[in-house]
Amino acid sequence: MTDSAPPSPPTIGVFDSGFGGLTVLRALIERLPAARYAFLGDTARLPYGSKSRRTIARYAAQSARFLVNEQGADFLVIACNTASALALDAIQDAVSVPVLGVIEPGAEAARAASRSGDVLVIATDATVQSHAYAAACQARGLRGIEKACPLLVPLVEEGWTPSPAAALSFAAQAGVAPPQGSQGAQVAVTAEVIRIYLAELNAEAAAAGLHPDTLVLGCTHYPLLRALFERAVPPGMSVIDSAEAAAQAAVRIFNTLPASFGSPLPSVLAPPQVVEIRCFATDSVEKFERLGSRFLERPVGKVELVDLGG
Ligand code: DGL
């Protein structure tokens, strides 16, 4: 009998322009708790959603190299719709490990949910201008109509989101009043912004003769507003969370990688082990530590500051 140490678990690198991608990390941890995780939020250069393809590709490739070359990631999940839409090729060229973006899983989940074949997609300006979702929908026989909602990322970054408890009660009782006090007023503003964006998008869809029955949340910040979206969409419309869809796809892909990647991983963690997560940010470490736990639904712990250059 040999006395060799068990192989160390693989590291899954998760990258976002900010900390919205923690929604993808949370969904991954639920499914693959036995992996190690390294999360990078490029908070110094957020938002990506208003920048050019060239700049997004440069920032995203640097970030991916950090996770692979310096943190030893064996597999990368691009938990940023904007980087997935505009820079997936640049990221794949920059690193030598498998890379998964969020657009294809989101479109695949829409295909599974939609009966009419008409799908609404909301995302950042850059994602919408790339038409990556429309193309991914078209490749699956769906008609996708996209809308940029640039006010939503800042509202989420400011914490103008329902608390998890309020979100549950919104989801359980459509029409329930938002929470009282200043947080209630903030959430009411966010709800009104969502109502206006969706009314505009539904009007565009109707003018184009579409009958959408599915809404894709094509930005990693939007899952924090999911309860508000569910209240705002017409009855019967499915709301697709691209974070959940990406995590499901990541598990499927990861578990079919060669055993040299440490695959397949068990779906439960043997006690007393704890999930190993290291979080890195390029700026705003305190804000990341404060707000990140809302996205991750657990403390993010100590966030390490990194400098990726210009
Ligand atoms: N992470 C981006 C996305 O999912 C949103 C924030 C940004 O604009 O950088 O599209």
Side-chain angles (χ1 to χ4, degrees), residues 15-21 45-51 79-83 102 123-125 127 153 157 218-222 242:
F15 160 64
D16 184 27
S17 55
F19 40 76
R45 305 188 287 196
L46 177 94
Y48 281 20
S50 54
K51 296 193 170 70
C80 174
N81 286 261
T82 306
V102 282
T124 63
D125 261 323
T127 301
V153 166
E157 294 271 327
C219 172
T220 34
H221 282 58
Y222 300 173
S242 59

Side-chain angles (χ1 to χ4, degrees), residues 51 62 65 68 72 86 93-94 109 129 140-141 179 230 240 254 281:
K51 296 193 170 70
Q62 281 175 342
R65 278 194 212 101
V68 174
L86 290 110
D93 288 348
Q129 278 169 35
R140 291 166 173 83
E230 280 172 344
I240 304 292
F254 189 82

Side-chain angles (χ1 to χ4, degrees), residues 187-215:
V187 173
V189 169
T190 307
E192 183 59 9
V193 171
I194 287 173
R195 192 194 63 72
I196 294 169
Y197 278 141
L198 289 184
E200 289 173 357
L201 183 53
N202 276 311
E204 283 167 41
L210 304 185
H211 300 95
D213 61 359
T214 303
L215 170 70

Side-chain angles (χ1 to χ4, degrees), residues 51-294:
K51 296 193 170 70
S52 67
R53 180 185 294 271
R54 199 180 142 143
T55 301
I56 294 165
R58 182 160 60 86
Y59 290 173
Q62 281 175 342
S63 303
R65 278 194 212 101
F66 168 79
L67 285 171
V68 174
N69 300 346
E70 294 181 39
Q71 298 308 317
D74 301 291
F75 180 61
L76 266 194
V77 178
I78 307 306
C80 174
N81 286 261
T82 306
S84 299
L86 290 110
L88 201 60
D89 292 355
I91 296 169
Q92 282 165 336
D93 288 348
V95 296
S96 55
V97 301
V99 180
L100 176 74
V102 282
I103 307 287
E104 297 294 324
E108 193 53 36
R111 192 195 56 75
S114 179
R115 290 171 310 282
S116 70
D118 294 341
V119 174
L120 305 177
V121 180
I122 54 169
T124 63
D125 261 323
T127 301
V128 167
Q129 278 169 35
S130 76
H131 297 303
Y133 268 109
C137 285
Q138 197 181 9
R140 291 166 173 83
L142 304 172
R143 291 185 297 179
I145 181 159
E146 305 156 293
K147 182 170 182 61
C149 301
L151 290 176
L152 295 181
V153 166
L155 286 167
V156 172
E157 294 271 327
E158 279 305 305
W160 289 28
T161 55
S163 65
L168 281 178
S169 107
F170 287 157
Q173 314 165 39
V176 73
Q180 300 302 304
S182 72
Q183 202 218 342
Q186 292 167 351
V187 173
V189 169
T190 307
E192 183 59 9
V193 171
I194 287 173
R195 192 194 63 72
I196 294 169
Y197 278 141
L198 289 184
E200 289 173 357
L201 183 53
N202 276 311
E204 283 167 41
L210 304 185
H211 300 95
D213 61 359
T214 303
L215 170 70
V216 177
L217 306 183
C219 172
T220 34
H221 282 58
Y222 300 173
L224 267 86
L225 304 173
R226 185 181 179 138
L228 299 182
F229 282 113
E230 280 172 344
R231 286 177 73 208
V233 294
M237 182 174 278
S238 308
V239 176
I240 304 292
D241 175 343
S242 59
E244 287 285 329
Q248 280 165 16
V251 173
R252 258 195 324 275
I253 294 170
F254 189 82
N255 281 340
T256 56
L257 291 176
S260 55
F261 282 89
S263 165
L265 276 171
S267 58
V268 288
L269 191 61
Q273 289 169 267
V274 287
V275 183
E276 274 188 62
I277 311 168
R278 290 184 73 187
C279 289
F280 303 88
T282 51
D283 198 5
S284 313
V285 163
E286 292 89 34
K287 187 172 177 189
F288 190 127
E289 286 171 352
R290 188 162 36 85
L291 288 183
S293 55
R294 279 196 180 211

